PDB file of all heavy atoms in Angstrom:
ATOM      1  N   ALA A1554       8.865  11.605   7.526  1.00 90.00           N
ATOM      2  CA  ALA A1554       8.917  12.895   8.198  1.00 90.00           C
ATOM      3  C   ALA A1554      10.190  12.917   9.088  1.00 90.00           C
ATOM      4  O   ALA A1554      10.809  14.003   9.245  1.00 90.00           O
ATOM      5  CB  ALA A1554       7.729  13.231   8.999  1.00 90.00           C
ATOM      6  N   ARG A1555      10.510  11.788   9.675  1.00 86.00           N
ATOM      7  CA  ARG A1555      11.724  11.733  10.525  1.00 86.00           C
ATOM      8  C   ARG A1555      12.969  12.008   9.784  1.00 86.00           C
ATOM      9  O   ARG A1555      13.960  12.505  10.320  1.00 86.00           O
ATOM     10  CB  ARG A1555      11.791  10.378  11.226  1.00 86.00           C
ATOM     11  CG  ARG A1555      10.803  10.160  12.268  1.00 86.00           C
ATOM     12  CD  ARG A1555      10.928   8.831  12.940  1.00 86.00           C
ATOM     13  NE  ARG A1555       9.942   8.648  13.921  1.00 86.00           N
ATOM     14  CZ  ARG A1555       9.564   7.455  14.397  1.00 86.00           C
ATOM     15  NH1 ARG A1555      10.214   6.383  14.005  1.00 86.00           N
ATOM     16  NH2 ARG A1555       8.641   7.324  15.291  1.00 86.00           N
ATOM     17  N   GLU A1556      12.985  11.672   8.489  1.00 82.00           N
ATOM     18  CA  GLU A1556      14.187  11.941   7.692  1.00 82.00           C
ATOM     19  C   GLU A1556      13.991  13.125   6.744  1.00 82.00           C
ATOM     20  O   GLU A1556      14.839  13.367   5.891  1.00 82.00           O
ATOM     21  CB  GLU A1556      14.607  10.644   6.904  1.00 82.00           C
ATOM     22  CG  GLU A1556      13.602  10.357   5.745  1.00 82.00           C
ATOM     23  CD  GLU A1556      14.098   9.125   4.929  1.00 82.00           C
ATOM     24  OE1 GLU A1556      14.258   8.087   5.451  1.00 82.00           O
ATOM     25  OE2 GLU A1556      14.295   9.374   3.708  1.00 82.00           O
ATOM     26  N   SER A1557      12.970  13.914   6.941  1.00 78.00           N
ATOM     27  CA  SER A1557      12.677  15.096   6.139  1.00 78.00           C
ATOM     28  C   SER A1557      12.687  14.814   4.635  1.00 78.00           C
ATOM     29  O   SER A1557      13.302  15.537   3.868  1.00 78.00           O
ATOM     30  CB  SER A1557      13.676  16.205   6.455  1.00 78.00           C
ATOM     31  OG  SER A1557      13.637  16.508   7.848  1.00 78.00           O
ATOM     32  N   ALA A1558      11.935  13.792   4.261  1.00 74.00           N
ATOM     33  CA  ALA A1558      11.879  13.439   2.816  1.00 74.00           C
ATOM     34  C   ALA A1558      10.528  13.912   2.295  1.00 74.00           C
ATOM     35  O   ALA A1558       9.538  13.147   2.203  1.00 74.00           O
ATOM     36  CB  ALA A1558      12.030  11.897   2.638  1.00 74.00           C
ATOM     37  N   GLY A1559      10.484  15.177   1.911  1.00 77.00           N
ATOM     38  CA  GLY A1559       9.203  15.785   1.502  1.00 77.00           C
ATOM     39  C   GLY A1559       8.579  15.112   0.285  1.00 77.00           C
ATOM     40  O   GLY A1559       7.338  14.971   0.273  1.00 77.00           O
ATOM     41  N   SER A1560       9.372  14.788  -0.721  1.00 81.00           N
ATOM     42  CA  SER A1560       8.780  14.206  -1.893  1.00 81.00           C
ATOM     43  C   SER A1560       8.196  12.827  -1.646  1.00 81.00           C
ATOM     44  O   SER A1560       7.141  12.454  -2.187  1.00 81.00           O
ATOM     45  CB  SER A1560       9.898  14.034  -3.031  1.00 81.00           C
ATOM     46  OG  SER A1560      10.847  13.199  -2.610  1.00 81.00           O
ATOM     47  N   LYS A1561       8.763  12.067  -0.771  1.00 87.00           N
ATOM     48  CA  LYS A1561       8.255  10.804  -0.388  1.00 87.00           C
ATOM     49  C   LYS A1561       6.977  10.970   0.423  1.00 87.00           C
ATOM     50  O   LYS A1561       6.017  10.220   0.309  1.00 87.00           O
ATOM     51  CB  LYS A1561       9.259   9.941   0.411  1.00 87.00           C
ATOM     52  CG  LYS A1561      10.393   9.546  -0.478  1.00 87.00           C
ATOM     53  CD  LYS A1561      11.375   8.705   0.269  1.00 87.00           C
ATOM     54  CE  LYS A1561      12.523   8.319  -0.607  1.00 87.00           C
ATOM     55  NZ  LYS A1561      13.555   7.511   0.072  1.00 87.00           N
ATOM     56  N   ILE A1562       6.903  11.975   1.278  1.00 93.00           N
ATOM     57  CA  ILE A1562       5.746  12.275   2.077  1.00 93.00           C
ATOM     58  C   ILE A1562       4.560  12.593   1.168  1.00 93.00           C
ATOM     59  O   ILE A1562       3.410  12.101   1.349  1.00 93.00           O
ATOM     60  CB  ILE A1562       5.942  13.364   3.074  1.00 93.00           C
ATOM     61  CG1 ILE A1562       6.967  12.892   4.187  1.00 93.00           C
ATOM     62  CG2 ILE A1562       4.670  13.808   3.714  1.00 93.00           C
ATOM     63  CD1 ILE A1562       7.411  13.987   5.130  1.00 93.00           C
ATOM     64  N   ALA A1563       4.829  13.376   0.171  1.00 93.00           N
ATOM     65  CA  ALA A1563       3.784  13.766  -0.791  1.00 93.00           C
ATOM     66  C   ALA A1563       3.182  12.529  -1.466  1.00 93.00           C
ATOM     67  O   ALA A1563       1.951  12.409  -1.633  1.00 93.00           O
ATOM     68  CB  ALA A1563       4.301  14.809  -1.813  1.00 93.00           C
ATOM     69  N   MET A1564       4.055  11.633  -1.911  1.00 94.00           N
ATOM     70  CA  MET A1564       3.569  10.385  -2.555  1.00 94.00           C
ATOM     71  C   MET A1564       2.807   9.557  -1.582  1.00 94.00           C
ATOM     72  O   MET A1564       1.749   9.006  -1.947  1.00 94.00           O
ATOM     73  CB  MET A1564       4.745   9.593  -3.128  1.00 94.00           C
ATOM     74  CG  MET A1564       4.321   8.323  -3.837  1.00 94.00           C
ATOM     75  SD  MET A1564       3.128   8.584  -5.163  1.00 94.00           S
ATOM     76  CE  MET A1564       4.194   9.291  -6.371  1.00 94.00           C
ATOM     77  N   ASN A1565       3.210   9.506  -0.363  1.00 95.00           N
ATOM     78  CA  ASN A1565       2.468   8.710   0.674  1.00 95.00           C
ATOM     79  C   ASN A1565       1.082   9.342   0.886  1.00 95.00           C
ATOM     80  O   ASN A1565       0.104   8.575   1.065  1.00 95.00           O
ATOM     81  CB  ASN A1565       3.197   8.665   2.001  1.00 95.00           C
ATOM     82  CG  ASN A1565       4.532   7.936   1.878  1.00 95.00           C
ATOM     83  OD1 ASN A1565       5.511   8.338   2.522  1.00 95.00           O
ATOM     84  ND2 ASN A1565       4.550   6.895   1.118  1.00 95.00           N
ATOM     85  N   VAL A1566       0.998  10.633   0.907  1.00 96.00           N
ATOM     86  CA  VAL A1566      -0.330  11.296   1.126  1.00 96.00           C
ATOM     87  C   VAL A1566      -1.215  10.976  -0.081  1.00 96.00           C
ATOM     88  O   VAL A1566      -2.369  10.663   0.121  1.00 96.00           O
ATOM     89  CB  VAL A1566      -0.107  12.836   1.252  1.00 96.00           C
ATOM     90  CG1 VAL A1566      -1.453  13.520   1.169  1.00 96.00           C
ATOM     91  CG2 VAL A1566       0.569  13.126   2.595  1.00 96.00           C
ATOM     92  N   ILE A1567      -0.680  11.083  -1.298  1.00 97.00           N
ATOM     93  CA  ILE A1567      -1.478  10.781  -2.490  1.00 97.00           C
ATOM     94  C   ILE A1567      -2.004   9.362  -2.470  1.00 97.00           C
ATOM     95  O   ILE A1567      -3.179   9.061  -2.691  1.00 97.00           O
ATOM     96  CB  ILE A1567      -0.675  11.072  -3.764  1.00 97.00           C
ATOM     97  CG1 ILE A1567      -0.469  12.546  -3.876  1.00 97.00           C
ATOM     98  CG2 ILE A1567      -1.341  10.461  -4.956  1.00 97.00           C
ATOM     99  CD1 ILE A1567       0.591  12.929  -4.949  1.00 97.00           C
ATOM    100  N   LEU A1568      -1.104   8.383  -2.181  1.00 98.00           N
ATOM    101  CA  LEU A1568      -1.490   7.004  -2.109  1.00 98.00           C
ATOM    102  C   LEU A1568      -2.540   6.752  -1.033  1.00 98.00           C
ATOM    103  O   LEU A1568      -3.517   5.979  -1.196  1.00 98.00           O
ATOM    104  CB  LEU A1568      -0.315   6.084  -1.976  1.00 98.00           C
ATOM    105  CG  LEU A1568       0.638   6.022  -3.185  1.00 98.00           C
ATOM    106  CD1 LEU A1568       1.941   5.249  -2.773  1.00 98.00           C
ATOM    107  CD2 LEU A1568      -0.023   5.364  -4.341  1.00 98.00           C
ATOM    108  N   GLY A1569      -2.310   7.393   0.116  1.00 98.00           N
ATOM    109  CA  GLY A1569      -3.298   7.219   1.236  1.00 98.00           C
ATOM    110  C   GLY A1569      -4.611   7.796   0.898  1.00 98.00           C
ATOM    111  O   GLY A1569      -5.676   7.188   1.200  1.00 98.00           O
ATOM    112  N   VAL A1570      -4.686   8.922   0.220  1.00 98.00           N
ATOM    113  CA  VAL A1570      -5.986   9.492  -0.177  1.00 98.00           C
ATOM    114  C   VAL A1570      -6.682   8.598  -1.230  1.00 98.00           C
ATOM    115  O   VAL A1570      -7.873   8.361  -1.115  1.00 98.00           O
ATOM    116  CB  VAL A1570      -5.786  10.933  -0.727  1.00 98.00           C
ATOM    117  CG1 VAL A1570      -7.051  11.444  -1.422  1.00 98.00           C
ATOM    118  CG2 VAL A1570      -5.393  11.888   0.412  1.00 98.00           C
ATOM    119  N   LEU A1571      -5.915   8.104  -2.195  1.00 98.00           N
ATOM    120  CA  LEU A1571      -6.514   7.199  -3.145  1.00 98.00           C
ATOM    121  C   LEU A1571      -7.091   5.941  -2.521  1.00 98.00           C
ATOM    122  O   LEU A1571      -8.161   5.459  -2.866  1.00 98.00           O
ATOM    123  CB  LEU A1571      -5.514   6.819  -4.242  1.00 98.00           C
ATOM    124  CG  LEU A1571      -5.042   7.985  -5.170  1.00 98.00           C
ATOM    125  CD1 LEU A1571      -3.912   7.503  -6.130  1.00 98.00           C
ATOM    126  CD2 LEU A1571      -6.213   8.589  -5.936  1.00 98.00           C
ATOM    127  N   ALA A1572      -6.337   5.397  -1.526  1.00 98.00           N
ATOM    128  CA  ALA A1572      -6.832   4.207  -0.839  1.00 98.00           C
ATOM    129  C   ALA A1572      -8.059   4.566   0.024  1.00 98.00           C
ATOM    130  O   ALA A1572      -9.034   3.773   0.105  1.00 98.00           O
ATOM    131  CB  ALA A1572      -5.711   3.633   0.054  1.00 98.00           C
TER     132      ALA A1572
END
Side-chain angles (χ1 to χ4, degrees):
R1555 288 182 182 162
E1556 69 175 61
S1557 301
S1560 63
K1561 291 180 182 179
I1562 293 171
M1564 181 56 76
N1565 297 141
V1566 169
I1567 291 167
L1568 291 171
V1570 168
L1571 293 176

